[in-house]
């Protein structure tokens, strides 16, 4: 594939040894794969994380596969506490680090139940992962590039701790992925050599990974020149905006937005030459009255920025009010769910989650008017038997918060 050709060219350029072709890989205890990794073993780890598991993969299957490589101490497929369904990943412990390294090298991306597994070292100490050290982001990937191809391409530049192409629910690539090296030097080398290169005839971007919180913070702290103003009177014209905002600095443009008939839409934009002048204008004019209209004046935002801000306000407003309920009997309706929880306070919204055909998924949400009412409902209803099933009731969490909590929990299992 094209991405492998890029890798080999870059390996030659950097003096690194190109990975062997699949045909040249030796076998170990009857398992075909690559040579044992020569890079440093992270923390001398004997524990492996195995992800992208088919839901039906069992501990016995993993024992059959990994037992060919070395002596196993333990295997655990992590499962949902209530349903006992597989969460799609497992932890495998070997007697020594050399066997774990050999298993990672020989078995990574091996098909199991017709689905390629993804192996990396299990890090009990999450500090390296959380620091983002050595972590890079790749986008504009061809949809044909999978985890294995990405790993093969980037392994020429250093020892990879984890590697993943983002996929949708059907398993199709979303066109971006992540690679984390054990050193910043390896990550920098990969960025320098591969950013802007063609992979499968598509030019890819390769750069440092930036956490979502940092991206959001950077977005909110960005200096701006363009100012948005709304709640204008219908008589306010472009010249009026220029006159008012011109007191704070040089302006390159000022326009009141109008519909197809030329009628004012009562909002507009003013662009300053200097970002400091734009900030001064926002501070001085926001909330000030003109023609009995109180203006809103702020940074002109992209749609994504507005949505992020609104989402933050919404979550702050409803923090502690919204409850998540699961293990519901299939026969419980929205009305019945509201009836069950109304005794603890004012229920402002209530919904049972259903699939497209209308069948209950066994979970739902209930929102209360006050945090105290929500807390009382948790204390009284969590674990209570409703139609022969014990309910699980807890504060609803954002998807990213829930994922982080599960990762912390299962890394310690």
């Amino acid at each position: 594939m094209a991405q492998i050709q890029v890798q080999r060219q870059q390996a030659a350029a950097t003096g690194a040894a190109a990975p062997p072709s699949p045909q040249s890989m030796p076998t170990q205890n009857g398992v075909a794969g690559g040579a044992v990794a020569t890079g440093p073993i992270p923390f001398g780890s004997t524990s492996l994380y195995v992800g992208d598991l088919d839901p039906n993969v069992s501990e016995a299957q993993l024992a059959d596969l990994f037992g060919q490589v070395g002596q196993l101490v333990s295997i655990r497929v992590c499962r949902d506490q209530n349903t006992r369904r597989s969460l799609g990943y497992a932890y495998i412990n070997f007697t020594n680090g050399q066997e774990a390294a050999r298993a990672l090298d020989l078995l990574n991306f091996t098909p199991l139940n017709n689905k390629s597994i993804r192996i990396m070292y299990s890090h009990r100490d999450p500090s390296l992962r959380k620091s983002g050290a050595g972590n890079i982001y790749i986008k504009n990937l061809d949809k044909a590039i999978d985890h294995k191809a990405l790993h093969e391409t980037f392994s020429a530049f250093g020892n990879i701790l984890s590697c993943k192409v983002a996929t949708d629910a059907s398993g199709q690539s979303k066109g971006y992925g992540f690679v984390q090296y054990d050193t910043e030097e390896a990550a920098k080398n990969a960025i320098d050599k591969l950013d802007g290169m063609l992979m499968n005839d598509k030019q890819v971007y390769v750069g440092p990974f930036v956490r979502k919180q940092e991206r959001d913070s950077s977005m909110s702290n960005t200096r701006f020149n363009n100012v948005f103003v709304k709640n204008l009177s219908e008589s306010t014209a472009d010249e009026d905006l220029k006159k008012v905002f011109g007191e704070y600095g040089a302006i390159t443009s000022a326009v009141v937005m109008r519909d197809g008939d030329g009628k004012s839409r009562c909002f507009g934009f003013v662009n300053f030459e200097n970002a400091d002048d734009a900030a001064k204008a926002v501070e001085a004019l926001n909330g000030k009255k003109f023609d009995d209209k109180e203006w809103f004046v702020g940074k002109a935002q992209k749609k994504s920025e507005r949505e992020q801000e609104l989402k933050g306000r919404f979550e702050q407003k409803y923090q502690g009010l919204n409850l998540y309920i699961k293990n519901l009997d299939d026969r419980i309706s929205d009305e019945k769910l509201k009836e069950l929880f109304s005794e603890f306070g004012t229920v402002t919204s209530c919904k049972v989650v259903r699939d497209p055909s209308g069948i209950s998924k066994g979970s739902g949400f209930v929102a209360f008017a006050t945090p105290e009412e929500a807390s009382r409902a948790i204390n009284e209803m969590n674990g209570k038997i409703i139609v022969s099933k014990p309910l699980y009731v807890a504060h609803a969490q954002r998807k990213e918060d829930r994922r982080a909590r599960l990762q912390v929990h299962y890394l310690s299992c």
Side-chain angles (χ1 to χ4, degrees):
M1 290 189 290
Q3 68 272 19
I4 303 302
Q5 294 171 357
V6 170
Q7 177 206 10
R8 295 185 184 282
Q9 292 163 1
Q10 294 305 321
T14 57
S21 64
Q23 293 81 4
S24 67
M25 294 180 183
T27 58
Q28 178 72 28
N29 294 337
V31 180
V36 175
T38 57
I41 301 171
F43 311 112
S45 179
T46 60
S47 182
L48 298 179
Y49 165 92
V50 185
D52 295 345
L53 290 178
D54 176 82
N56 296 316
V57 169
S58 65
E59 280 88 351
Q61 285 179 279
L62 292 174
D64 288 342
L65 179 63
F66 284 84
Q68 300 177 74
V69 179
Q71 186 174 351
L72 302 175
V73 175
S74 65
I75 295 178
R76 178 176 179 179
V77 175
C78 293
R79 303 179 183 277
D80 182 275
Q81 288 182 327
N82 293 313
T83 66
R84 302 309 299 161
R85 291 174 183 161
S86 169
L87 294 172
Y89 58 95
Y91 292 95
I92 297 181
N93 290 291
F94 285 87
T95 55
N96 61 68
Q98 288 73 25
E99 291 178 343
R102 187 162 62 245
L104 188 153
D105 198 62
L106 295 176
L107 301 179
N108 208 4
F109 311 113
T110 297
L112 198 57
N113 287 10
N114 297 317
K115 188 176 180 182
S116 296
I117 62 176
R118 186 170 53 87
I119 309 171
M120 60 186 184
Y121 285 106
S122 170
H123 300 296
R124 301 281 177 176
D125 178 2
S127 57
L128 177 62
R129 186 180 67 257
K130 290 182 177 179
S131 72
N135 208 356
I136 62 177
Y137 169 65
I138 307 101
K139 69 178 180 180
N140 202 35
L141 288 172
D142 183 83
K143 297 298 179 70
I145 297 177
D146 57 13
H147 306 313
K148 183 177 182 180
L150 193 70
H151 190 281
E152 288 176 343
T153 301
F154 283 82
S155 62
F157 302 96
N159 190 43
I160 293 176
L161 301 182
S162 66
C163 174
K164 185 174 179 65
V165 173
T167 57
D168 61 21
S170 64
Q172 294 298 309
S173 169
K174 291 183 176 181
Y176 64 90
F178 308 90
V179 173
Q180 185 169 18
Y181 291 97
D182 60 351
T183 66
E184 287 280 12
E185 182 182 359
K188 185 178 183 302
N189 196 18
I191 292 170
D192 290 344
K193 300 299 181 183
L194 290 180
D195 183 35
M197 295 294 289
L198 294 178
M199 295 187 184
N200 281 13
D201 299 323
K202 291 188 71 173
Q203 187 176 40
V204 296
Y205 165 84
V206 183
F209 170 71
V210 181
R211 288 189 292 262
K212 185 175 186 297
Q213 300 93 318
E214 295 174 359
R215 293 198 304 271
D216 294 342
S217 175
S218 175
M219 185 183 293
S220 63
N221 293 329
T222 302
R223 285 162 59 86
F224 60 94
N225 295 70
N226 203 13
V227 173
F228 170 68
V229 52
K230 70 176 181 178
N231 207 27
L232 303 173
S233 69
E234 291 187 5
S235 61
T236 302
D238 297 354
E239 291 303 318
D240 297 320
L241 290 185
K242 289 179 182 178
K243 181 178 179 181
V244 172
F245 283 87
E247 296 180 14
Y248 301 94
I251 292 172
T252 58
S253 66
V255 60
V256 175
M257 304 305 293
R258 301 182 182 278
D259 62 21
D261 297 327
K263 184 179 179 181
S264 172
R265 298 174 66 184
C266 298
F267 70 88
F269 297 91
V270 178
N271 198 68
F272 284 86
E273 286 185 0
N274 185 282
D276 292 333
D277 294 337
K280 284 190 295 183
V282 168
E283 185 177 355
L285 297 175
N286 185 39
K288 196 168 182 180
K289 281 191 175 182
F290 294 87
D291 298 329
D292 294 324
K293 293 275 193 176
E294 185 177 299
W295 284 6
F296 168 84
V297 182
K299 172 190 172 186
Q301 295 176 304
K302 296 178 182 177
K303 182 180 179 181
S304 59
E305 293 176 301
R306 292 197 305 273
E307 289 175 346
Q308 183 64 37
E309 185 175 312
L310 289 171
K311 180 182 177 185
R313 289 179 185 174
F314 178 85
E315 290 170 349
Q316 185 175 16
K317 179 180 179 181
Y318 289 99
Q319 187 174 16
L321 303 179
N322 204 12
L323 301 185
Y324 170 66
I325 300 96
K326 69 177 180 179
N327 212 26
L328 287 171
D329 186 270
D330 293 346
R331 292 165 288 180
I332 292 180
S333 63
D334 293 353
E335 294 74 21
K336 181 61 178 177
L337 189 62
K338 184 174 183 179
E339 179 185 327
L340 289 170
F341 282 84
S342 289
E343 64 177 286
F344 306 106
T346 303
V347 174
T348 58
S349 68
C350 180
K351 187 171 183 62
V352 173
V353 179
R354 301 182 181 279
D355 64 20
S357 63
I359 298 174
S360 170
K361 289 188 173 182
S363 62
F365 296 91
V366 176
F368 285 91
T370 69
E372 292 74 22
E373 293 170 345
S375 296
R376 189 159 59 245
I378 292 174
N379 293 333
E380 295 292 334
M381 295 297 285
N382 187 40
K384 186 174 182 178
I385 304 293
I386 302 295
V387 195
S388 78
K389 285 188 174 184
L391 292 187
Y392 170 85
V393 185
H395 286 294
Q397 293 179 304
R398 295 183 304 169
K399 184 178 180 180
E400 51 266 36
D401 293 338
R402 189 168 66 253
R403 183 185 294 121
R405 180 178 61 81
L406 286 171
Q407 286 175 340
V408 171
H409 172 75
Y410 285 110
L411 278 174
S412 61
C413 72

